[in-house]
Amino acid sequence: MAYPTVSGPYGLIPINLIGGQVFASATRLIPITSASATSIFFGDVVKLNSSGTLDKDVGTSSATPVGVFLGCSYTDPTFGKTFRQYYAANTVASDIVAFVQDDPDALFKVAVTTAGTSTIGGVTRAVVGENSALIQTAGNTTTGDSRVSISATTATASTLPIRIIDVIAETTNASGSFTEVVVKWNQGMHPYLNPTGV
């Protein structure tokens, strides 16, 4: 059976931990401020703000990620306890919490797009070990999924937030390039690794 065509970006999807560590898909509950003005989608990169609550991290060539958003829950005044694939901007509730994959050793599957666009691109195996920028595209309000990807243009600059550690062989396109890769946070980009905090 052929691997499905990667038709567009879908955010960062946690798949494992570096070094073959036991991966239980655990998440941390982090609050979102009531009526926060920015939507956050499944697979979006998120960060802590100065109040200790969660915001979407809109960084590209630099970022301060605490992890990846994997849904949220809150009490809806009409429907009661509600679980959502994404946080819709300006949702009013006193108990909004996000499910966040915040392990600094997490590995993620992510689509590769051409620089500055949401058009699927490709990379060769030579990018393994290099770094890349995030490409931010508005999420899908129908599915609740992120449309964040990484740039096909890679570099050795240590300030870039994403380190490519493998390619996904099944996603080789007609030109022999890979359209998905496995990535981790670049050393020091995750606030848990930063001695000065967020």
Side-chain angles (χ1 to χ4, degrees):
M1 180 187 216
Y3 193 89
T5 300
V6 181
S7 58
Y10 50 78
L12 279 74
I13 305 300
I15 58 170
N16 211 331
L17 297 180
I18 197 165
Q21 301 172 70
V22 175
F23 180 58
S25 299
T27 57
R28 183 173 310 282
L29 297 178
I30 302 177
I32 298 173
T33 303
S34 180
S36 182
T38 303
S39 294
I40 310 173
F41 294 84
F42 188 96
D44 271 352
V45 179
V46 288
K47 65 181 180 179
L48 293 172
N49 61 37
S50 59
S51 300
T53 58
L54 201 69
D55 286 336
K56 177 178 167 64
D57 192 330
V58 297
T60 54
S61 59
S62 63
T64 54
V66 72
V68 169
F69 179 88
L70 300 176
C72 66
S73 70
Y74 58 90
T75 302
D76 182 276
T78 303
F79 301 106
K81 191 67 170 179
T82 300
F83 294 85
R84 303 250 350 230
Q85 178 89 347
Y86 80 103
Y87 165 78
N90 305 309
T91 297
V92 176
S94 61
D95 61 346
I96 308 170
V97 290
F99 303 97
V100 178
Q101 168 50 266
D102 71 338
D103 192 320
D105 288 340
L107 301 180
F108 303 91
K109 178 177 75 168
V110 65
V112 176
T113 54
T114 55
T117 77
S118 60
T119 303
I120 293 295
V123 293
T124 67
R125 185 158 185 88
V127 302
V128 173
E130 294 195 344
N131 303 320
S132 183
L134 293 161
I135 295 180
Q136 301 279 354
T137 306
N140 186 324
T141 57
T142 301
T143 65
D145 290 335
S146 171
R147 295 187 69 232
V148 169
S149 58
I150 68 161
S151 175
T153 302
T154 62
T156 58
S158 61
T159 53
L160 292 169
I162 295 292
R163 170 73 52 88
I164 299 168
I165 67 155
D166 204 356
V167 295
I168 297 181
E170 296 85 355
T171 68
T172 309
N173 61 23
S175 65
S177 297
F178 303 97
T179 57
E180 287 180 319
V181 293
V182 178
V183 300
K184 66 177 285 292
W185 304 123
N186 207 356
Q187 183 66 29
M189 297 307 297
H190 196 294
Y192 295 169
L193 302 174
N194 183 350
T196 59
V198 299

